[in-house]
Amino acid sequence: MKRRHFEPEHEMFRKSFREFVKNEIAPHYNAWERAGITPKEIWKKAGAHGFLCTWADEAYGGAGCRDFRYDQIVAEELAHTPGVAFGLHSSVVAPYLDRLGTEEQKRRLLSRAVAGEAILAVAMTEPAAGSDLAGIQTRAELRGDHWLVNGSKTFVSNGINADIVIVAAKTDAANPRAIGLFVVETGMPGFERGRKLEKLGYHAQDTAELFFHDVEAPCANVLGDPRKGFHAIMRLLGDERLAAACGSLAVARAAFDLTLPYVKERKAFGQPVADFQNTKFKLAEMKTELDIGQAFIDRSVMEHNSGELTAEMAAEAKLWTAELAGRVTDQCLQFFGGYGYMWECPIARLYAAARVHRIWAGTSEIMKEIIGRSLLK
Ligand SMILES: Cc1cc2nc3c(=O)[nH]c(=O)nc-3n(C[C@H](O)[C@H](O)[C@H](O)COP(=O)(O)OP(=O)(O)OC[C@H]3O[C@@H](n4cnc5c(N)ncnc54)[C@H](O)[C@@H]3O)c2cc1C
């Protein structure tokens, strides 16, 4: 399917970002996977080339391109190297600073994120609360000119690397929806990192536990109204789900692109695997689903650009593509036979990566809740 979604300036951006991935990421990727983390230097390089937070206003060092197609291109080009979390940084976390931050906060925090000098993370999930945000137990109490933050978080992407963590904490014991968003920075006393967690996939990305013991977050580090963070999070989760959907589709497409040449080349019973009817039919099904999914995602991106992407549409995009990525990577691995199960075979990496897409940024069940609820309003 020919995509009529991008303009020449997007293609230019893709070309230069693809070169960057080829030269600066791909040669080192296996080592980063083994280390379980992506080095901080690559963020600075990406920032210096203008690949982070492309949407950010020029005043903060960005290109001012408020067009999610650039975020989409970054997701697509990074699909073969899962775990280089520029998307999380630029498309998921930095928008909190942009939408909720004051001028002073944007100058102090967003500009460092755009330059890649500060790596971002968002910490909502806790050992006892993930899907149910109102169930978090981390608390923040106002003490004069600062808030005292206490609690723990888990599964935080970039948790080890992050210089700036946006932490969700309860601010009123009587109201479970009174949540504030606090910027906690490396070096603040009482802020500690726990284990770097070992995951099924996304090995090049660090995912960590974080602990907060009487962390004094200055009032200047509160994002928006400290009692209305719940609503802000619900709004921003739409962006996160669109970013996740772009990533899911990109992973599925990458798996398909790896598999097609392989089945043409690989022989069994004296003929290419591609010539079995089963292979042709499965390839045809996947190609059809990928193209149809792409049309919906491209449309969702444009709805986002015009400010019209609804929470339900974002949930549909996230649900469909996450499930698709699971189906496609599973079927593609099957076509690789035993090789597909070996970590050295890139399809194994995509298969493992795709599994979490049904879990993070809201599980598939939660997406169905959102869509179902909207039907019964
Ligand atoms: C690799 C990775 C990276 C992550 N990165 C981050 C991050 O950077 N920051 C962050 O804050 N979090 C992060 N998360 C956490 C992620 O968002 C949560 O794991 C996810 O929201 C699910 O929460 P949970 O794990 O507590 O599962 P639970 O909420 O305990 O859910 C368990 C099961 O119950 C189902 N369930 C729950 N509620 C309902 C319901 N109402 N109806 C039907 N079924 C339901 C769920 O779908 C799931 O199948 C990450 C997770 C992973 C695995």
Side-chain angles (χ1 to χ4, degrees):
M1 182 183 76
K2 186 163 167 50
R3 277 169 93 187
R4 299 179 196 285
H5 179 60
F6 297 109
E7 306 294 337
E9 56 270 28
H10 299 108
E11 298 303 350
M12 273 166 58
F13 178 81
R14 185 189 292 280
K15 194 161 168 264
S16 64
F17 187 58
R18 186 173 286 178
E19 275 297 295
F20 181 80
V21 173
K22 186 170 145 229
N23 298 328
E24 304 288 349
I25 294 178
H28 313 290
Y29 182 72
N30 288 344
W32 298 349
E33 269 199 331
R34 283 194 295 278
I37 197 161
T38 302
K40 281 178 178 263
E41 291 67 44
I42 194 66
W43 297 84
K44 290 191 188 140
K45 281 188 188 171
H49 282 81
F51 294 135
L52 300 177
C53 311
T54 47
W55 47 262
D57 293 342
E58 287 173 18
Y60 314 115
C65 300
R66 291 198 179 257
D67 177 347
F68 208 81
R69 284 177 286 185
Y70 292 101
D71 302 67
Q72 192 178 14
I73 289 168
V74 170
E76 289 174 359
E77 295 301 319
L78 287 173
H80 285 283
T81 51
V84 179
F86 295 164
L88 174 85
H89 174 94
S90 303
S91 315
V92 174
V93 193
Y96 281 85
L97 301 174
D98 180 55
R99 304 267 185 92
L100 304 172
T102 60
E103 181 60 31
E104 184 278 326
Q105 287 171 329
K106 289 189 211 179
R107 285 201 185 279
R108 181 162 52 93
L109 305 168
L110 182 57
S111 54
R112 284 166 61 210
V114 174
E117 282 157 12
I119 300 173
L120 306 181
V122 63
M124 294 185 194
T125 306
E126 300 187 357
S131 303
D132 179 13
L133 184 64
I136 62 170
Q137 287 168 16
T138 298
R139 303 202 167 276
E141 289 167 49
L142 186 58
R143 299 282 172 88
D145 64 349
H146 65 267
W147 290 76
L148 209 56
V149 182
N150 276 290
S152 63
K153 299 286 178 181
T154 194
F155 306 151
V156 180
S157 304
N158 289 347
I160 299 291
N161 253 342
D163 304 284
I164 293 173
V165 184
I166 298 173
V167 181
K170 290 269 181 70
T171 50
D172 179 353
N175 177 4
R177 293 199 165 202
I179 287 176
L181 293 164
F182 300 88
V183 174
V184 173
E185 297 174 71
T186 296
M188 284 185 172
F191 170 34
E192 286 165 22
R193 299 172 213 248
R195 288 178 302 152
K196 177 156 71 65
L197 300 164
E198 296 200 0
K199 308 190 292 294
L200 181 66
Y202 279 103
H203 294 169
Q205 178 175 27
D206 67 285
T207 304
E209 301 167 322
L210 302 179
F211 300 102
F212 309 93
H213 304 287
D214 289 337
V215 175
E216 294 184 10
C219 289
N221 276 23
V222 178
L223 292 176
D225 186 328
R227 285 172 191 82
K228 297 205 173 132
F230 191 89
H231 302 288
I233 292 167
M234 291 303 137
R235 273 201 316 277
L236 281 151
L237 275 174
D239 292 13
E240 175 166 354
R241 286 171 185 153
L242 180 60
C246 293
S248 293
L249 198 59
V251 163
R253 176 82 64 189
F256 184 85
D257 291 346
L258 282 175
T259 305
L260 189 58
Y262 182 79
V263 293
K264 287 183 185 169
E265 185 78 17
R266 176 77 176 175
K267 289 206 169 62
F269 297 95
Q271 67 178 77
V273 168
D275 285 353
F276 296 119
Q277 190 191 51
N278 175 65
T279 309
K280 279 201 291 283
F281 280 14
K282 293 289 183 203
L283 288 172
E285 284 168 16
M286 289 193 287
K287 171 80 165 62
T288 306
E289 286 200 289
L290 285 167
D291 285 350
I292 289 172
Q294 191 71 68
F296 188 78
I297 294 307
D298 289 351
R299 174 69 192 268
S300 301
V301 165
M302 297 314 281
E303 295 280 307
H304 176 276
N305 280 354
S306 59
E308 289 167 303
L309 183 73
T310 62
E312 295 80 39
M313 192 170 178
E316 287 177 35
K318 205 261 167 187
L319 171 64
W320 167 261
T321 55
E323 297 288 328
L324 178 67
R327 286 196 299 277
V328 169
T329 53
D330 185 61
Q331 180 57 58
C332 288
L333 188 149
Q334 187 70 13
F335 281 134
F336 277 82
Y339 289 117
Y341 198 67
M342 301 300 133
W343 194 256
E344 65 196 52
C345 182
I347 197 71
R349 178 185 281 164
L350 295 179
Y351 172 80
R355 187 60 187 88
V356 79
H357 291 220
R358 283 179 267 169
I359 297 171
W360 65 17
T363 65
S364 285
E365 292 74 29
I366 296 298
M367 296 306 102
K368 289 179 197 174
E369 268 294 319
I370 294 168
I371 301 159
R373 228 182 290 141
S374 76
L375 297 173
L376 304 179
K377 260 190 216 158

